[in-house]
């Protein structure tokens, strides 16, 4: 059957009057009709216990004054300053960032990010400022600049020309070589011979090294065309390292290591730099945090009394964010991340509809209002109307189109509705897609049930009302053996067994879920 569903084919000529040809506004649907539809399809309109919330988030973040204060602190640290030394009873000159001779000690005392003495390539620097930082001369400074949650000033301490090399290779391993694939059986001599042949090929004009590596390399970098990326001196094994750092860009040569023979191409070289950065994190001041607490508390008190939540938020220019249909076991709330305490409060039986509460959360406060409660069971008419309305409108449109076109031929059906006839070829039951119309299982199924040359009546489809003529039917050729299809079906079904068994057990069991009480 699976074979026939996929390979029996039918060609049709059809006329379709889409439901969109009738405006939604012209179709009246009553509350009683929605209620009746829900009751007839109860299984489709079950709902879990859930809640609706709205909240205002008061985020602890630095104010403009806080940012300016951090900039001012950094600015003071750049220049030398004079401080009184009580032990000496004299003034000392404290070197600033510009002139300090002990950068490690200076940054340990004054920076939120300590001095990293490791040389870095351009790719290791902040992407937004990498070009500027790499262009600095030794002793030059750049900043103050903002990088994420920090204000920074950077100073070029040292540079190593061509300190990182980008290379590609073709590895030809042999039996017994380090980390050689067990499937490799060639001898060392055979490997060397093949490597020399590939070296000659790689040096030819027009040869694409990456393609040669993809087709021949035994190394894990073969799918990437042998690309090993950028590496600093001392990272690669010694023979490989010596070759790449002692030859110019573009050189192709042969290197032997414990892993085998490498046809190596030097793709690029870049400088590496050592940069000292004076950084201060941008944080809200105590004054800013206290002001935020006052605002959140005031808003909570106002909205806990008689003042409307949305009105109060608008007056203070706060953003109200809704969260709909949260479940009892939910944890993450959009815009607030993990907030289990808020969910527990919303589902607490003592929490009344419309109640407001302030919660302390990471980086601030959330003032939350409970806006709706949904009991487990059948959805209400109001809650289900958004789902049911389109279906009932479609039913009424179909009935209207069918009633207005009863007894018509295909030609008059098309003419009277200002549409044209179309054709569709090689339709199958397994994939009942009509080009330009979408999935139409009932329409295609009807076509398969008809004789070749027969014309249907009006058919209620998923996207419109159809009338069709079967122009050709082609039955799939019989096979001697259907085991391939049987095996595919078995494999497909096997993957669903555990899930199906779980659902069957769940439906057959009486389960009282108490997890939310303890979580």
């Amino acid at each position: 059957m699976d074979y026939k569903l996929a390979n029996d084919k039918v060609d049709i000529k059809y006329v379709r009057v889409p439901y969109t040809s009738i405006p939604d506004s012209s179709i009246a649907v009553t509350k009683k009709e929605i209620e009746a539809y829900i009751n007839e399809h109860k299984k489709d309109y079950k709902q879990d216990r859930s809640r609706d919330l709205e909240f205002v988030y008061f985020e602890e973040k630095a104010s403009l004054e806080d940012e300016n204060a951090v900039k001012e602190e950094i600015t003071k640290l750049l220049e030398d300053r004079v401080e009184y030394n009580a032990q000496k009873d004299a003034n000392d000159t404290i070197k600033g960032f510009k002139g300090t001779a002990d950068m490690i000690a200076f940054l340990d005392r004054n920076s939120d990010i300590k001095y990293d003495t490791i040389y870095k390539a351009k790719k290791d620097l902040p992407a937004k400022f990498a070009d500027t930082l790499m262009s600095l001369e030794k002793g030059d400074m750049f900043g103050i600049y903002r990088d994420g949650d920090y204000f920074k000033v950077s100073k070029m301490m040292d540079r190593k020309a061509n300190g990182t090399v980008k290379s590609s290779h073709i590895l030809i391993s042999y039996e017994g070589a380090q980390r050689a694939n067990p499937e490799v059986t060639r001898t060392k001599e055979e490997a060397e011979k093949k490597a020399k042949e590939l070296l000659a090929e790689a040096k030819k004009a027009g040869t694409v090294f990456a393609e040669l590596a993809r087709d021949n390399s035994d190394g894990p970098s073969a799918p990437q065309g042998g690309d090993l990326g950028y590496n600093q001196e001392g990272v690669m094994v010694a023979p490989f390292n010596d070759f790449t750092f002692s030859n110019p860009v573009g050189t192709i040569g042969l290197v032997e290591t414990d892993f085998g023979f490498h046809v190596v191409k030097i793709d690029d070289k870049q400088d590496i730099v050592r940069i000292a950065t004076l950084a201060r994190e941008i944080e809200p001041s105590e004054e800013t945090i206290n002001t935020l607490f006052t605002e959140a508390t005031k808003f909570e008190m106002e909205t806990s009394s008689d003042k409307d939540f949305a009105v109060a938020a608008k007056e203070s220019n706060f953003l109200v964010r809704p969260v709909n249909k949260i479940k009892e076991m939910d944890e993450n709330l959009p815009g607030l991340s993990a907030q289990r305490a808020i969910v527990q409060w919303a589902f607490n039986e003592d929490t009344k509809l419309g109640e407001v509460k302030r919660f302390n959360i990471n980086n601030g406060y959330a003032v939350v209002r409970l806006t709706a409660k949904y009991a487990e069971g059948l959805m209400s008419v109001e809650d289900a109307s958004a789902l049911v309305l389109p279906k009932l409108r479609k039913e009424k449109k179909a009935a209207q189109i069918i009633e207005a076109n009863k007894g018509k031929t295909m030609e008059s059906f098309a003419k009277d509705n200002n549409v044209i006839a179309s054709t569709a070829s090689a339709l199958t039951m397994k994939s009942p897609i009509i080009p330009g119309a979408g999935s139409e299982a009932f329409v295609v199924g009807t076509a398969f049930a008809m004789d070749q040359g027969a014309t249907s009546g009006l058919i209620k489809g998923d996207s419109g009302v159809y009338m069709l003529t079967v122009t050709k039917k082609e039955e799939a050729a019989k096979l001697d053996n259907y085991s391939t299809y049987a095996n595919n079906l078995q494999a497909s079904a096997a993957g669903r067994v555990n899930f199906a068994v779980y659902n069957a057990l769940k439906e057959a069991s009486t389960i009282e879920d108490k997890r939310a009480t303890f979580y």
Side-chain angles (χ1 to χ4, degrees), residues 81-94:
R81 65 187 187 277
V82 176
E83 289 185 359
Y84 174 71
N85 188 324
Q87 291 180 338
K88 296 179 181 178
D89 190 25
N91 290 331
D92 284 345
T93 299
I94 309 298

Side-chain angles (χ1 to χ4, degrees), residues 283-489:
E283 295 179 305
S285 63
E286 188 174 341
E287 182 182 351
T288 299
I289 292 171
N290 291 338
T291 301
L292 189 75
F293 174 77
T294 302
E295 288 180 346
T297 304
K298 182 183 175 184
F299 183 72
E300 179 193 18
M301 292 174 65
E302 285 180 346
T303 53
S304 293
S305 55
D306 296 332
K307 198 159 190 180
D308 182 84
F309 198 86
V311 170
K314 188 175 182 181
E315 287 176 357
S316 300
N317 202 27
F318 297 148
L319 175 65
V320 178
R321 307 184 195 184
V323 183
N324 297 325
K325 297 292 179 73
I326 61 170
K327 303 292 193 329
E328 200 165 13
M329 288 298 294
D330 284 351
E331 179 176 2
N332 292 316
L333 301 182
L336 293 179
S337 67
Q339 298 299 332
R340 186 69 193 142
I342 295 176
V343 177
Q344 287 176 324
W345 169 80
F347 280 90
N348 192 312
E349 295 301 329
D350 295 332
T351 304
K352 298 179 179 63
L353 199 63
E355 190 171 329
V356 175
K357 185 175 180 179
R358 172 177 52 82
F359 291 86
N360 294 356
I361 61 175
N362 291 334
N363 301 319
Y365 308 93
V367 178
V368 187
R369 177 173 173 262
L370 180 62
T371 56
K373 294 183 176 183
Y374 302 94
E376 184 179 3
L378 199 62
M379 295 173 73
S380 68
V381 171
E382 290 75 15
D383 296 333
S385 61
L387 302 171
V388 176
L389 264 174
K391 296 180 179 180
L392 290 179
R393 285 196 186 112
K394 188 185 288 187
E395 293 279 349
K396 290 195 171 192
K397 288 179 182 182
Q400 189 173 312
I401 294 169
I402 290 171
E403 182 62 32
N405 293 280
K406 277 182 178 176
K408 291 183 179 178
T409 63
M410 187 183 290
E411 289 73 20
S412 60
F413 180 50
K415 183 179 178 182
D416 294 348
N417 289 279
N418 199 27
V419 293
I420 59 172
S422 302
T423 60
S425 303
L427 301 176
T428 68
M429 288 284 282
K430 195 163 188 176
S431 181
I433 308 293
I434 298 178
S439 180
E440 290 287 4
F442 186 72
V443 177
V444 174
T446 301
F448 271 98
M450 295 165 56
D451 294 328
Q452 184 168 314
T455 299
S456 72
L458 296 170
I459 306 167
K460 184 173 67 175
D462 192 60
S463 63
V465 174
Y466 290 76
M467 184 180 287
L468 63 86
T469 297
V470 176
T471 57
K472 182 182 177 183
K473 291 185 78 173
E474 183 181 343
E475 193 171 344
K478 287 182 169 47
L479 303 180
D480 294 332
N481 189 302
Y482 295 90
S483 59
T484 300
Y485 289 85
N487 292 337
N488 289 341
L489 282 171

Side-chain angles (χ1 to χ4, degrees), residues 14 39 44 129 186 314 336 384 425 443 511:
Y14 69 93
N39 288 323
D44 297 330
F129 307 101
R186 69 173 72 90
K314 188 175 182 181
L336 293 179
S425 303
V443 177
I511 302 170

